[in-house]
Amino acid sequence: MSTSTQMVNAWIFLNEDEPAGTSYNSPDSCYQTLIRNDVYQSVDILFICFGAVVPAADGTYTMQMGDASHPGGLTNQDYLQYVVRDARKNNPDIQIALTMGYGNGSGISQIFPDPSNPDSKSADAFAANLVAFLKANGLNGLDLDWESPISDDTTSAQFATLINAVGAAFRKQPQKYYLTLSPAVATNLDAASVNEYVDFINLQLYSGFTFPADFPGMGIHAGLLAYGAKFESGYQTAEGAYTDNTHNYHYPVYTAWRLNSDNFAFEQAQQKALHALVFAAATAA
């Protein structure tokens, strides 16, 4: 599997309220500027961070939005609903996915009763629960943030069993569900399952230790690779990310971290600028 579709995507991290002292509905909040400045119109897939694997009532496992508290007693689940509502109102064509976190407690191995022998039954149950969660929240897919500790704590067999189950469950749905990977490292991946089911791979090129050659080197199709940009902390500009990709990589998909840090005005402006650059070039071609 490979992608040639031009996309400019972004992550958003719901734990924070910026500027300090604001909440979601504060007129000057990072969430309201996304709406007011039509930033969502420059996002093809919005990845909402972070989801976690948790036990379900029936003893299987499911996905939920990660815990965080906000002013007024609101939670990340509330913010998830607000973002989905407002992003779709601002851009009816936007796709929205949940990014599964990389930290302790969000891991994959717990899905399996015997982690050393990951079984399809447990993975299938998780995949079914995941689809139900995505549908209940108006989401279009799952992204895995693949870095330590989850990349160290998950075996390639566990990873393959999960990806095969989730990918197969997504394909059974009447609408498109995206399955993507956002790795800093290639540790414990399984090339066959990635090639079969993953739509694209957002390389964390800003990490300093993500090496694109590692992925084709282990058998992953080079056509799946995508450009992971970073606007947080002014690390890159839109022009810098665009120039780096067009000169060095030539990936059709960009995904930027992120839209809502304390430097959100810059991040949101760069997202709009990158989308304009990419699609102006595509139109000219």
Side-chain angles (χ1 to χ4, degrees):
M1 191 176 203
S2 64
T3 182
S4 59
T5 303
Q6 203 86 56
M7 288 184 180
V8 179
N9 310 317
W11 287 283
I12 186 170
F13 181 40
L14 297 192
N15 281 35
E16 296 183 17
D17 288 286
E18 299 291 352
T22 63
S23 64
Y24 187 91
N25 290 311
S26 300
D28 58 340
S29 79
C30 59
Y31 300 101
Q32 294 304 307
T33 59
L34 284 163
I35 303 164
R36 186 165 58 249
N37 297 327
D38 293 327
V39 180
Y40 288 127
Q41 294 180 23
S42 296
V43 180
D44 296 304
I45 303 179
L46 180 68
F47 295 107
I48 298 181
C49 305
F50 290 105
V53 176
V54 297
D58 63 357
T60 61
Y61 284 80
T62 188
M63 184 71 71
Q64 73 173 23
M65 191 66 225
D67 293 330
S69 59
H70 297 276
L74 297 174
T75 66
N76 271 7
Q77 180 62 33
D78 296 316
Y79 274 40
L80 169 64
Q81 294 170 353
Y82 298 161
V83 167
V84 170
R85 176 197 67 195
D86 294 335
R88 293 202 190 285
K89 184 176 180 180
N90 189 257
N91 177 7
D93 295 326
I94 198 169
Q95 303 295 297
I96 307 176
L98 182 70
T99 293
M100 177 176 157
Y102 61 91
N104 292 320
S106 13
I108 292 170
S109 61
Q110 63 185 311
I111 293 170
F112 306 107
D114 180 1
S116 64
N117 292 290
D119 63 293
S120 297
K121 181 180 178 181
S122 298
D124 290 343
F126 171 78
N129 293 339
L130 169 64
V131 169
F133 174 86
L134 297 177
K135 288 182 176 179
N137 288 279
L139 300 172
N140 305 103
L142 179 71
D143 174 52
L144 274 70
D145 185 351
W146 196 252
E147 55 187 296
S148 182
I150 196 172
S151 58
D152 298 321
D153 296 342
T154 306
T155 68
S156 59
Q158 292 167 356
F159 175 89
T161 305
L162 177 74
I163 294 297
N164 288 335
V166 171
F170 281 7
R171 284 190 183 170
K172 293 177 182 176
Q173 306 310 309
Q175 71 178 87
K176 170 67 177 176
Y177 279 79
Y178 287 91
L179 179 56
T180 63
L181 188 65
S182 298
V185 295
T187 307
N188 290 331
L189 298 178
D190 173 75
S193 60
V194 170
N195 291 338
E196 179 64 25
Y197 289 114
V198 170
D199 289 289
F200 52 86
I201 300 170
N202 302 302
L203 298 177
Q204 295 183 32
L205 297 171
Y206 46 82
S207 72
F209 52 83
T210 302
F211 305 105
D214 290 348
F215 298 86
M218 65 180 299
I220 290 173
H221 293 162
L224 291 174
L225 302 183
Y227 190 94
K230 182 179 179 179
F231 300 143
E232 187 180 50
S233 304
Y235 180 85
Q236 281 178 308
T237 64
E239 181 67 40
Y242 179 76
T243 299
D244 185 37
N245 187 30
T246 54
H247 286 184
N248 297 313
Y249 302 106
H250 313 292
Y251 302 148
V253 175
Y254 295 76
T255 302
W257 177 266
R258 57 186 167 114
L259 296 177
N260 67 321
S261 81
D262 58 358
N263 197 24
F264 64 88
F266 174 83
E267 293 162 356
Q268 294 175 15
Q270 297 311 303
Q271 180 71 24
K272 294 181 70 173
L274 180 59
H275 196 273
L277 281 168
V278 170
F279 284 95
T283 300

